[in-house]
Amino acid sequence: MTPHPPGVGHCDELQYALRAFRTSAHVTQRWGDRLAAVLSGGGRLLAAGNGGSAAQAQHLTAELVGRYRDDRPPFSAIALHADTSSTTAIANDYGVDEVFARQVRAHGREGDVLMLLSTSGASANLLSAADAARSAGVRVWALTGCAPNPLMAGSDESLCVEAPSTATVQEIHLVAVHMICAAFDAALERGVRGTPAAGSAASKGRAASTGRAGRAAQRKRR
């Protein structure tokens, strides 16, 4: 009997994991819809991960700032690990566990979304980032490996991939990223209404408009 090459076994593992993950399509759909509302309203996506998960997180932000399939306006999305000067300075001055949390406190605004990717779901710097985000009113979504895990527990919502190897978890995370992007673009095409984030230009514009209307009403009453 001829043994299968290692790559074939990997394909079989990926196929099995993907079949199981397909049942999570409703979650990626909801995340894409919500992200379209937040970003079109002037909000922002922050994303982070370590190692291969950092690459997946940066893939997501690139699809939003650039485009996924068809041409559309750019949206605000920042991969926190991509700023090497900030991450190394923070690690040096405050410790590795703070490299993402401090950036979340700097960039995150109420109503924004923080996406955290981790195959283990136990990275200390991501757990610290989740804590910082919740304190700032930033919604936390996590893409992790097998459940249960600490990051899953520390997030508002999570998608957990049941797979035995780190490589397969990362590959399913990339599928999830593309599913979110597809749902995001579809929501924009449907004309989803943006939800102005606190502190965003849209939110400030609405507040200013409301203020002017209120002052005009007061003048009329006088």
Side-chain angles (χ1 to χ4, degrees), residues 96-112:
V96 176
D97 291 357
E98 279 291 302
V99 292
F100 301 137
R102 191 166 178 84
Q103 292 185 78
V104 168
R105 288 190 286 270
H107 302 303
R109 300 293 181 266
E110 185 177 354
D112 287 348

Side-chain angles (χ1 to χ4, degrees), residues 7-108:
V8 173
H10 181 77
C11 287
D12 291 342
E13 181 182 304
L14 178 59
Q15 185 177 33
Y16 180 83
L18 184 59
R19 188 181 301 117
F21 187 76
R22 194 176 187 279
T23 61
S24 302
H26 65 288
V27 179
T28 58
Q29 179 68 48
R30 184 172 69 249
W31 286 5
D33 290 347
R34 177 61 182 167
L35 204 54
V38 171
L39 270 56
S40 63
R44 175 180 291 155
L45 172 71
L46 304 176
N50 295 292
S53 294
Q56 306 289 30
Q58 197 165 339
H59 190 122
L60 173 60
T61 58
E63 302 281 30
L64 295 171
V65 177
R67 67 174 185 176
Y68 176 53
R69 287 178 179 161
D70 300 322
D71 190 34
R72 55 155 168 71
F75 292 91
S76 182
I78 300 174
L80 300 180
H81 52 271
D83 185 347
T84 55
S85 293
S86 289
T87 55
T88 53
I90 295 168
N92 186 62
D93 294 340
Y94 299 97
V96 176
D97 291 357
E98 279 291 302
V99 292
F100 301 137
R102 191 166 178 84
Q103 292 185 78
V104 168
R105 288 190 286 270
H107 302 303

Side-chain angles (χ1 to χ4, degrees), residues 99-219:
V99 292
F100 301 137
R102 191 166 178 84
Q103 292 185 78
V104 168
R105 288 190 286 270
H107 302 303
R109 300 293 181 266
E110 185 177 354
D112 287 348
V113 174
L114 173 65
M115 176 78 81
L116 299 174
L117 292 83
S118 172
T119 57
S120 68
S123 299
N125 54 13
L126 298 182
L127 295 172
S128 296
D131 289 342
R134 290 198 309 274
S135 296
V138 175
R139 179 167 289 274
V140 182
W141 295 341
L143 278 173
T144 76
C146 297
N149 60 71
L151 187 56
M152 170 190 173
S155 303
D156 295 296
E157 294 187 69
S158 61
L159 269 176
C160 304
V161 176
E162 298 297 326
S165 72
T166 297
T168 298
V169 172
Q170 290 174 338
E171 287 159 352
I172 299 297
H173 282 180
L174 180 57
V175 172
V177 163
H178 285 160
M179 291 169 73
I180 292 167
C181 289
F184 177 87
D185 283 0
L188 293 178
E189 290 174 5
R190 293 196 307 270
V192 64
R193 298 185 65 178
T195 303
S200 70
S203 177
K204 291 176 181 176
R206 177 173 293 182
S209 177
T210 302
R212 287 192 295 270
R215 289 191 293 273
Q218 287 178 350
R219 286 195 294 271

